[in-house]
Amino acid sequence: MASLRKCNLFINGKVVKPTGGNYFVRENPATENDFAQIAESSKKDVDKAVSAAKKSFTTWSKVTPSDRAKVLLKIAAVLGKNQKSLAHLNTLETGKPVRESGLVEIGGSIKTLEHYAGAHTQLNGETIPVNENQISMTLKEPVGVVAQIIPWNFPLLLSFWKIAPALVAGCTIVLKPAELTSCTIFEIARLCSKAGLPEGVLNIVPGKGEITGQALVEHPGIDKVAFTGSTSVGKHVMKTASDSVKRVSLELGGKAPCIIFDDANLENAVEACLRGGFFNQGENCTAVTKLMLHKKIYKKFLDMYVKKVKRINIGDPTKPGTEMGAVISKDHYDSVLNYIAKGKSEGAKVVSGGSRPSKLKKGYFINPTVLENVDPNATVACDEIFGPVVAVIPFSTEEEAISIANNTDYGLAGGLWTNDINRAMRVAKSINAGYLWVNTYGGIIPQTPYGGFKQSGIGKELGREGIENYLETKCVNIYTGDSMPKWYKG
Ligand code: NAP
Ligand code: MG
């Protein structure tokens, strides 16, 4: 145990041990070796973190927006300076290729910080013409102390999608990372402090969802909960937060369709759907999971696709040339393999992958898997698998494609490929999801609002909308007339 890395709490600008003294062990999913001890933050610890955030709110909320923006840029710079070591650490705890840790997690976090630094100019309210004796105006005020709850699939990027807008808006933060991925964000919080973020503005409480996360959502000192994770936990969070009418935004699960019409540029579509399906081991809420192929191009596309899927370089994620790493944990590995077995038992044919790579003896590796001829109502076409499994579904008409795409309680993302602009617009309007790609797939950029329809969530992150999560609108009415009109006769 002595040689394991320790992940503690970060409260009020200091590294703090958990009050109960409890830690659990996290393994490296690519080696199955114990890797770190993670603190279990108790209710008392959450209390301390919320108090620190509350205290710092009184000062941070009064720092001018342009000065807050400068701190965001300093954090971006410090992430850039430490990109290599942070990417390595992130890969040790997630199992994802170090290329993706560097470019997407750290690189994407930097871009998000830079984008929201610019948003300090967007905190303006408006003046509203009412009548000649009154001026009405809106003030945009920070919502207060926010709880941010993060899943394990993009532990850094998804943290900064929340941290950056909250900070520039003037909020202070208590963040709970996923229990499987707490180490890198803990290190980053220390770096933020060194970069000039005042103490108490960003506090990190690692721990279990049912204890630490629950205590945070219940805490009366929290004004808003920003949650990313599964739909089932999201529903529970929403119920818990309702006790004190906390503001809630939810980014939840997905089951993204990608529709390839017979006039599509197949080479481009194959390329984008490879990344769409297997980037981040498919542990991606917007992953292409229902790959829907028009019957006329079904065979041609599938041949081209499978040939390339088989060439994906899976293995040691710390090597720069590795293209796919290990899934997050043993439990998740079992769950993904069970889904593949279920798919087969429901009639799908495995045309690529389907099992662990024989060359890799240790680690939770699963070959990129393609299941073909999947029934649109089969389990693998409906459940979120959250792993490297793509279900291929044939279709004949536009109406049928739309109906299969919408055959889900989720509504997060989707894609479509056609060279017919009218069809592109028609289908885009008909897909019941919050974020769509046409003739491309994947890549969520901070300038664009991202969030789910239906049971995929409430609210938007990123874009102009993303900052609204952290602002309250106050309306102030000023009377400018000389005398007050009389309502009572006397
Ligand atoms: P999860 O099990 O729902 O957990 C998400 C977070 O909630 C974790 O930090 C978890 O802590 C915490 N949590 C668990 N129970 C809680 C409770 N009672 N109160 C407060 N917090 C609690 O999700 P996951 O397995 O980490 O992530 C995968 C899911 O996230 C997938 O469904 C995926 O689609 C979704 N996701 C959505 C988006 C999006 O933008 N829409 C992005 C990424 C992922 P523990 O880690 O300790 O369990
Ligand atoms: Mg959990």
Side-chain angles (χ1 to χ4, degrees), residues 149-154 158 161 176-180 207-210 213-214 217 227-231 233-234 236-237 251-254 285 384 386 412 450 456 461:
I149 300 179
I150 313 295
W152 46 256
N153 61 330
F154 291 99
L158 299 183
W161 284 8
K176 193 205 93 65
E179 64 189 73
L180 300 173
K208 306 262 173 171
E210 308 78 52
Q214 183 72 23
V217 179
F227 173 87
T228 301
S230 61
T231 295
V233 176
H236 174 77
V237 162
E251 293 287 355
L252 308 177
C285 46
E384 184 186 42
F386 219 61
L412 188 58
Y450 166 72
S456 285
E461 291 195 310

Side-chain angles (χ1 to χ4, degrees), residues 340-473:
I340 295 172
K342 182 92 182 156
K344 286 199 265 185
S345 75
E346 290 182 352
K349 184 173 157 207
V350 179
V351 284
S352 189
S355 57
R356 64 174 297 123
S358 51
K359 63 169 185 177
L360 299 168
K361 303 295 171 217
K362 283 226 151 193
Y364 307 121
F365 293 94
I366 301 173
N367 273 318
T369 298
V370 182
L371 302 174
E372 79 148 318
N373 248 331
V374 172
D375 184 289
N377 294 312
T379 310
V380 290
C382 298
D383 286 14
E384 184 186 42
I385 302 173
F386 219 61
V389 182
V390 171
V392 182
I393 303 174
F395 71 90
S396 306
T397 64
E398 189 176 308
E399 293 68 34
E400 189 191 1
I402 292 165
S403 148
I404 296 171
N406 287 335
N407 180 29
T408 168
D409 288 334
Y410 294 118
L412 188 58
L416 64 112
W417 292 76
T418 176
N419 281 324
D420 175 343
I421 183 71
N422 293 340
R423 174 152 67 189
M425 278 318 297
R426 249 189 341 261
V427 178
K429 282 184 182 173
S430 308
I431 296 181
N432 216 348
Y435 204 88
L436 298 180
W437 289 280
V438 178
N439 294 338
T440 181
Y441 200 96
I444 297 166
I445 44 176
Q447 292 86 343
T448 59
Y450 166 72
F453 288 8
K454 302 200 277 184
Q455 294 193 25
S456 285
I458 297 180
K460 300 285 170 199
E461 291 195 310
L462 303 179
R464 196 186 290 271
E465 282 93 333
I467 200 145
E468 292 295 331
N469 280 322
Y470 298 100
L471 295 170
E472 291 276 24
T473 302

Side-chain angles (χ1 to χ4, degrees), residues 172-190:
T172 57
I173 302 167
V174 182
L175 182 145
K176 193 205 93 65
E179 64 189 73
L180 300 173
T181 53
S182 305
C183 291
T184 318
I185 193 69
F186 166 68
E187 292 303 330
I188 286 177
R190 296 165 68 170

